[in-house]
């Protein structure tokens, strides 16, 4: 026996209901577009990405700094100079294949607002009384039917394992090749592999031990990650940019930028707590950039045995890559223009 009604669970305020509190299936057939329209009507402030100073979330999205400030530094550093990310491009068989992968990733990244942000906004309507924002995702998962819930949970675990595997590989590689091997240049390949495995195990143990005291004090784990990676990001970005595009940059200037990034970020974090972290990242980046240039000029040009010759590197891009990059830029500009 069939019925034209379906229990609404916690969404009992949505749509036309009968006297028993059930929503009519005909209303649900209005689709995703109607649901999106409902969210924009009920929570229009949740769709703004450029927030004024009076907004309670201004510290996380500080006005035009989202477009002109520290977000550029964070994004360039993460997508261009992060071992965890670029190792995928480095694994490509040639530069053109790597560019294709980057284009695909860029278009997939455009889906993140639909995959991540919209469910979060929907959670405001479906579960308005959650104690912590991080509880939104598991609450929404609990509303899924059994088969779909298993599929989503499997995808979540797969994403976590893949991400964790890449990070462990990056940690082991950087420590083994950049720290341990210079100290022990005669180490065999077998020994290097063993050191890499030990490094990975130690990193996992440290992460497990530190997760609760560090992440447990924040309402959102992602916000914590953004806040404190911003201590190192400006210096890393300066080192890579000057190292790749300015031959006069010296090791002293690069090291000074790295140290200044941590010290200046810490000073601003403690001395100016009301400063949005995105603005702090932008200010520290400019300061570190200046420090690296001044010290490099004062030291003068020097030849180094560690210098990497990048003159033979092909930085050209294909026509398809350029068109795709313009398309991604246009889509992003349209999104920001629509929800200014």
């Amino acid at each position: 026996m069939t019925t034209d009604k379906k229990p609404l669970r916690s969404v009992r305020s949505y749509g036309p209901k009968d006297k028993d509190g059930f929503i009519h299936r005909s209303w649900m057939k209005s689709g995703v577009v109607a649901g999106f329209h409902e969210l924009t009507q009920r929570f229009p402030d949740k769709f703004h990405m450029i927030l004024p100073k009076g907004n309670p979330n201004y510290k996380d999205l500080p006005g035009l700094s989202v477009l002109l400030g520290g977000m550029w530094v964070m994004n360039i550093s993460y997508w261009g100079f992060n071992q965890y990310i670029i190792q995928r491009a480095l694994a490509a068989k040639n530069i053109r294949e790597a560019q294709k992968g980057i284009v695909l990733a860029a278009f997939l990244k455009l889906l993140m607002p639909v995959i991540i942000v919209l469910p979060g906004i929907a959670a405001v309507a479906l579960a308005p009384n959650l104690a912590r924002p991080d509880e939104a995702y598991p609450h929404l998962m609990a509303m899924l039917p059994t088969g779909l819930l298993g599929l989503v949970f499997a995808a979540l675990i797969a994403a976590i394992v893949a991400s964790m595997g890449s990070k462990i590989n990056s940690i082991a590689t950087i420590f083994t090749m950049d720290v341990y091997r210079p100290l022990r240049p005669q180490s065999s390949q077998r020994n290097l592999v063993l050191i890499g495995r030990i490094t990975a195990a130690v990193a996992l143990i440290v992460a497990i031990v530190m997760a609760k005291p560090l992440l447990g004090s924040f309402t959102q784990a992602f916000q914590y990650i953004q806040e404190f990676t911003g201590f190192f990001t400006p210096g890393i970005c300066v080192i890579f940019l000057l190292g790749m595009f300015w031959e006069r940059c010296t090791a002293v200037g690069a090291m000074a930028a790295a140290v200044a990034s941590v010290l200046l970020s810490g000073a601003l974090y403690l001395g100016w707590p009301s400063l949005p972290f995105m603005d702090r990242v932008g200010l520290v980046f400019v300061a570190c950039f200046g420090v690296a240039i001044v010290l490099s000029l004062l030291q003068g040009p020097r030849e180094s045995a560690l210098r990497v010759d990048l003159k033979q590197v092909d930085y050209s891009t294909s026509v398809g890559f350029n068109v795709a990059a313009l398309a991604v830029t246009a889509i992003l500009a349209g999104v920001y223009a629509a929800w200014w």
Side-chain angles (χ1 to χ4, degrees):
M1 181 175 180
T2 60
T3 178
D4 193 41
K5 304 173 184 179
K6 179 179 180 180
L8 190 59
R9 295 177 135 176
S10 63
V11 203
R12 301 184 68 86
S13 61
Y14 277 69
K17 304 185 293 293
D18 61 15
K19 63 180 181 178
D20 298 321
F22 291 100
I23 189 170
H24 288 283
R25 198 178 294 272
S26 59
W27 183 84
M28 296 181 67
K29 290 181 180 179
S30 52
V32 175
V33 175
F36 176 77
H37 178 73
E38 178 75 14
L39 291 178
T40 59
Q41 294 299 310
R42 293 189 60 185
F43 309 105
D45 57 309
K46 302 293 184 183
F47 289 86
H48 294 307
M49 294 182 286
I50 308 296
L51 305 180
K53 284 190 175 181
N55 193 290
N57 296 310
Y58 177 79
K59 193 173 181 179
D60 296 330
L61 294 173
L64 287 176
S65 295
V66 174
L67 296 178
L68 305 175
M71 181 173 281
W72 279 101
V73 180
M74 300 289 286
N75 278 279
I76 290 175
S77 176
Y78 184 77
W79 294 107
F81 309 135
N82 190 317
Q83 166 73 10
Y84 160 57
I85 296 297
I86 64 174
Q87 64 180 341
R88 287 163 167 75
L90 294 174
K93 63 181 181 180
N94 56 54
I95 188 67
R96 296 304 180 211
E97 292 299 317
Q99 290 174 359
K100 292 177 183 178
I102 292 172
V103 167
L104 176 61
F107 279 103
L108 291 177
K109 192 67 177 177
L110 293 176
L111 299 176
M112 294 304 288
V114 177
I115 299 172
I116 302 297
V117 179
L118 285 183
I121 298 176
V124 179
L126 301 177
N129 299 317
L130 292 177
R132 292 164 54 94
D134 280 352
E135 295 177 4
Y137 188 79
H139 183 87
L140 293 179
M141 284 185 62
M143 300 176 64
L144 295 173
T146 302
L148 187 58
L149 174 60
L151 181 63
V152 172
F153 186 74
L156 174 64
I157 296 300
I160 293 174
V161 171
S163 179
M164 185 175 66
S166 296
K167 287 180 171 64
I168 292 175
N169 180 62
S170 298
I171 293 171
T173 301
I174 291 173
F175 179 83
T176 304
M177 305 306 291
D178 296 336
V179 177
Y180 181 82
R181 191 171 70 166
L183 297 176
R184 300 289 181 86
Q186 303 302 323
S187 297
S188 64
Q189 290 295 318
R190 184 183 183 88
N191 186 47
L192 292 177
V193 171
L194 177 61
I195 294 299
R197 291 174 177 174
I198 294 174
T199 302
V202 172
L204 281 175
I205 293 172
V206 171
I208 292 171
V209 172
M210 299 302 295
K212 180 62 177 179
L214 291 180
L215 299 182
S217 60
F218 282 75
T219 57
Q220 299 184 55
F222 183 76
Q223 198 62 33
Y224 167 84
I225 295 171
Q226 293 296 305
E227 181 77 41
F228 288 99
T229 53
F231 277 51
F232 309 95
T233 297
I236 293 173
C237 201
V238 167
I239 291 172
F240 273 92
L241 287 175
L242 291 181
M244 292 176 64
F245 302 111
W246 192 47
E247 294 183 353
R248 284 290 305 277
C249 184
T250 64
V252 173
M255 181 60 69
V259 174
S261 178
V262 178
L263 295 180
L264 291 175
S265 296
L268 290 175
Y269 179 78
L270 297 175
W272 194 354
S274 62
L275 180 69
F277 83 93
M278 206 173 292
D279 289 344
R280 186 191 73 219
V281 168
L283 292 174
V284 173
F285 172 77
V286 173
C288 292
F289 204 87
V291 168
I293 290 178
V294 170
L295 290 180
S296 296
L297 291 175
L298 290 176
Q299 188 179 15
R302 293 184 179 182
E303 290 297 329
S304 173
L306 298 177
R307 182 182 295 274
V308 178
D309 185 9
L310 300 176
K311 294 181 179 179
Q312 304 301 321
V313 177
D314 180 14
Y315 291 103
S316 65
T317 53
S318 64
V319 175
F321 181 90
N322 296 335
V323 171
L326 290 175
V328 170
T329 303
I331 294 172
L332 280 176
V335 171
Y336 272 94
W339 285 289
W340 179 272

